[in-house]
Amino acid sequence: MNYVLKRLLMIIPMLMGISFLTYLTICLAPGGPAAGIMQDFNPKVSSEYKQKQLEHFHFDKPYHVQYFLWVKRIVKLDFGESYKDNQPVLKKIASRLPKTLLLASLSLILTFLLAVPLGIFSALKQNSFWDRAITAFVFIGFSVPVYWVALLLMIGFGIHLGWVPVTGFRSIMADEMTRFEQILDIARHLALPLIVTSLTSLAGLSRYMRNGMLEVIQQDYIRTARAKGLPENKIIFKHALRNTLLPVITILGLSLPDLISSSVIFETIFSYPGLGRLTYEAAMSRDTFLIMPTVALGAFLTLLGNLLADVCYALADPRIRVR
């Protein structure tokens, strides 16, 4: 408990550092943090009105003062409003975050379900045709650009075959569907983003699983189990699998931050209405009050994913808790 509490407390200064660097980046960009407001003004608007708007949002103050004023508002859970549509930032994030978490969670589950059996099968069939074929497949999937794979899948399965929608989260007529049809509709929209996001993590995870299994099955206790005449399935799935899963759990936990950070790319390609696409839209419109919370939330989820990986590792190996 103390370990988890310490790690949670460490998240606070790390979030402060990440948010400060983000605000500094916005300040160093052409136009500074007020660019989003200034570019939307009508050319006929007087300079006095522009100055009043800058003072209203505290953009006339030094950058470090602007940052601490933003932190002060965030502590009070005052996230402000978006420049573009005057919608509360918290409401916009709340509507997008569940979709990003749903996609990331399903991607992790799918990656785990595919990588573990592939890694075990490759290890048990070491240097065979199937081992080389699986190795070639996962490394091709890891090497090719993700956006290229996404475009190929969209053209092949979405446009030519028409099996799945290529963009969005649900159909326009979804409100008129039954509950089962709505679930099926969302699953069809999630199919292509899930395949692409899982493909990026599959290679590394399956290779860790294969190498870990190869190392474990050469241990003395595995040889002892075989010498006692235990069935091979029992040796692999009861004695070897648990020790092999230790590094895999860690890598899987670290995949969550990767999925969240790369959601900006995936969600933009598939027009998926999640947090990543919201961050992209905020950056393009120079909406400072929307960029800061979305980046900070993404950083928090990343740090939380690292913490969950450590906790899962400790649960899988009690020796870590003792140390």
Side-chain angles (χ1 to χ4, degrees), residues 107-117 202 205 245 248-249 252:
S107 177
L108 283 180
I109 294 172
L110 181 62
T111 303
F112 184 80
L113 293 178
L114 291 176
V116 170
L202 184 61
L205 205 62
L245 284 178
V248 175
I249 290 173
L252 188 67

Side-chain angles (χ1 to χ4, degrees), residues 26 32-33 35-37 39-40 82-84 89 92-93 96 264 268 274-295:
I26 295 173
I37 294 179
Q39 69 186 9
D40 287 346
S82 170
Y83 293 156
K84 295 299 175 182
V89 170
K92 298 186 77 165
I93 292 176
R96 300 291 190 96
V264 177
T268 303
L275 188 66
R277 190 181 173 202
L278 181 65
T279 306
Y280 172 78
E281 292 170 350
M284 290 297 101
S285 60
R286 303 293 299 273
D287 194 339
T288 304
F289 287 157
L290 188 55
I291 293 174
M292 292 297 293
T294 52
V295 172

Side-chain angles (χ1 to χ4, degrees), residues 22-51:
T22 303
Y23 200 82
L24 185 63
T25 303
I26 295 173
C27 294
L28 294 177
I37 294 179
M38 300 301 288
Q39 69 186 9
D40 287 346
F41 278 140
N42 189 305
K44 296 181 180 179
V45 171
S46 65
S47 57
E48 290 80 7
Y49 179 79
K50 292 180 180 178
Q51 184 60 32

Side-chain angles (χ1 to χ4, degrees), residues 4-68:
V4 175
L5 185 60
K6 288 179 182 177
R7 290 293 304 272
L8 284 174
L9 292 176
M10 286 175 61
I11 289 178
I12 297 175
M14 295 179 74
L15 274 179
M16 292 287 292
I18 292 171
S19 61
F20 179 75
L21 289 176
T22 303
Y23 200 82
L24 185 63
T25 303
I26 295 173
C27 294
L28 294 177
I37 294 179
M38 300 301 288
Q39 69 186 9
D40 287 346
F41 278 140
N42 189 305
K44 296 181 180 179
V45 171
S46 65
S47 57
E48 290 80 7
Y49 179 79
K50 292 180 180 178
Q51 184 60 32
K52 285 182 180 179
Q53 288 297 307
L54 293 177
E55 293 174 358
H56 174 72
F57 290 109
H58 306 295
F59 288 140
D60 58 325
K61 294 181 170 53
Y63 290 149
H64 67 281
V65 176
Q66 295 178 30
Y67 172 73
F68 283 109

Side-chain angles (χ1 to χ4, degrees), residues 184-250:
L184 190 62
D185 180 57
I186 292 174
R188 293 180 70 243
H189 281 82
L190 285 172
L192 293 184
L194 262 181
I195 293 173
V196 175
T197 53
S198 302
L199 195 62
T200 57
S201 306
L202 184 61
L205 205 62
S206 63
R207 290 300 89 185
Y208 272 105
M209 191 68 202
R210 175 185 180 275
N211 295 337
M213 181 60 74
L214 284 175
E215 183 179 347
V216 169
I217 60 178
Q218 295 174 2
Q219 299 293 319
D220 290 339
Y221 70 93
I222 297 295
R223 280 196 287 269
T224 303
R226 284 175 172 156
K228 288 183 176 179
L230 289 178
E232 187 67 16
N233 289 340
K234 190 173 183 180
I235 295 173
I236 297 299
F237 293 104
K238 183 175 182 180
H239 298 284
L241 183 59
R242 178 166 181 170
N243 290 326
T244 308
L245 284 178
L246 291 178
V248 175
I249 290 173
T250 304

Side-chain angles (χ1 to χ4, degrees), residues 133-144:
I134 292 173
T135 301
F137 171 73
V138 295
F139 273 99
I140 288 174
F142 182 74
S143 304
V144 296

